[in-house]
Amino acid sequence: MKSRLSLLIVSLIGLQVHGQSIERFSIDSGGAIATAGGIEIMYTIGEVNVAERTSPTVSLSEGFINAPLKISVNPAVFLQGPLFNPATPGLMNDILREDNHLPTTSPYGDGMTVNANVFNLGGASGTGPASDNIVDWVLIELRSDGDSSNILASRSALLQRDGDVVGLDGLSDVVLFVSPKNYYVSIKHRNHLGIMTSTSVALSDTAAVVDFTDANNQITNGTNAQTTFGAPTDVVAMWAGDVNGNGQVKY
């Protein structure tokens, strides 16, 4: 019995000497993206690589390595309404924030919520300039490169006084979990006329600037889709007045 026990202990010690590591590695990976009925599926196929060595260690590698399934975007827009009679030239007024009327839940139905402190002074950092105070919520939509009426993804975001559209911490780029490729980018606001890029934009996990505000380099789809009335020189803004969301500003 003692000899068997000694043999078992020696065997266990021998097993402990050999290390084992697991890391992701694959060969001959492939796949594609399929879209149908507004649903996009990204899939990967391939052969899992398994490598074993008996000396001095055992190494097992398996699994697939996929491209990041997310994009970052940094839009810039102005709302015509808050630009009228601005307290600070070039910045939108933020009366909703000042009067504590900004809701902490998005008005766009996707259930996004924030802590009210992100509305002030550079969001969660609390150390930003007043130009980073939040004016209101907006909705970002990503639309199909082949059909701009087909909305593939959307996300609520926050609009700063200087026109930057940021994430729910009040300062970061907006992230949407879709595959990197070309999309039409649309911005909507609850009482302004929505806008969309005139061409699709290449988006990836490196934040892309989508500036709708430059009157001299307009990227907005449609004729007179934005207005210079009430805006600073060389700036365009989203038309105010679409209070019932029907796409019209005439009554």
Side-chain angles (χ1 to χ4, degrees):
M1 177 65 71
K2 289 184 179 180
S3 61
R4 291 182 180 178
L5 181 59
S6 299
L7 179 60
L8 177 60
I9 292 173
V10 170
S11 298
L12 290 174
I13 293 174
L15 286 174
Q16 285 183 322
V17 170
H18 295 287
Q20 185 181 49
S21 63
I22 299 177
E23 60 185 63
R24 297 188 302 171
F25 179 67
S26 63
I27 58 175
D28 297 332
S29 63
I33 298 171
T35 303
I39 299 174
E40 182 176 272
I41 299 174
M42 182 179 183
Y43 61 91
T44 304
I45 57 176
E47 179 182 351
V48 176
N49 179 72
V50 179
E52 295 186 8
R53 294 195 302 271
T54 57
S55 177
T57 62
V58 176
S59 177
L60 174 64
S61 298
E62 60 182 332
F64 297 108
I65 302 174
N66 293 325
L69 194 62
K70 69 175 183 178
I71 63 92
S72 296
V73 62
N74 181 16
V77 298
F78 279 117
L79 303 177
Q80 183 188 27
L83 279 177
F84 283 125
N85 300 315
T88 304
L91 299 179
M92 288 179 283
N93 291 324
D94 55 342
I95 297 173
L96 290 178
R97 181 197 65 83
E98 290 178 345
D99 292 345
N100 295 317
H101 291 319
L102 270 181
T104 54
T105 299
S106 168
Y108 302 110
D110 58 3
M112 296 295 179
T113 61
V114 298
N115 190 302
N117 64 8
V118 307
F119 297 150
N120 309 306
L121 298 178
S125 72
T127 59
S131 59
D132 287 346
N133 287 341
I134 301 302
V135 175
D136 204 357
W137 293 81
V138 294
L139 183 70
I140 299 176
E141 292 177 343
L142 301 183
R143 301 182 175 219
S144 169
D145 182 30
D147 178 5
S148 62
S149 67
N150 184 11
I151 301 170
L152 299 177
S154 63
R155 185 175 181 84
S156 294
L158 300 173
L159 176 62
Q160 296 179 343
R161 294 184 67 198
D162 59 5
D164 290 335
V165 177
V166 295
L168 300 188
D169 62 355
L171 52 93
S172 299
D173 297 323
V174 181
V175 174
L176 292 94
F177 293 95
V178 295
S179 55
K181 62 176 185 177
N182 280 35
Y183 297 92
Y184 286 91
V185 179
S186 171
I187 305 291
K188 291 182 177 178
H189 182 259
R190 49 185 167 166
N191 57 16
H192 285 70
L193 198 63
I195 55 177
M196 184 180 70
T197 55
S198 57
T199 60
S200 61
V201 180
L203 301 179
S204 69
D205 59 345
T206 300
V209 175
V210 183
D211 186 359
F212 287 97
T213 69
D214 188 351
N216 299 313
N217 185 28
Q218 255 307 283
I219 63 171
T220 312
N221 182 60
T223 303
N224 297 322
Q226 295 201 84
T227 180
T228 59
F229 184 72
T233 303
D234 297 328
V235 167
V236 290
M238 295 170 62
W239 285 99
D242 188 19
V243 294
N244 59 7
N246 69 350
Q248 298 181 3
V249 294
K250 294 182 179 180
Y251 300 95

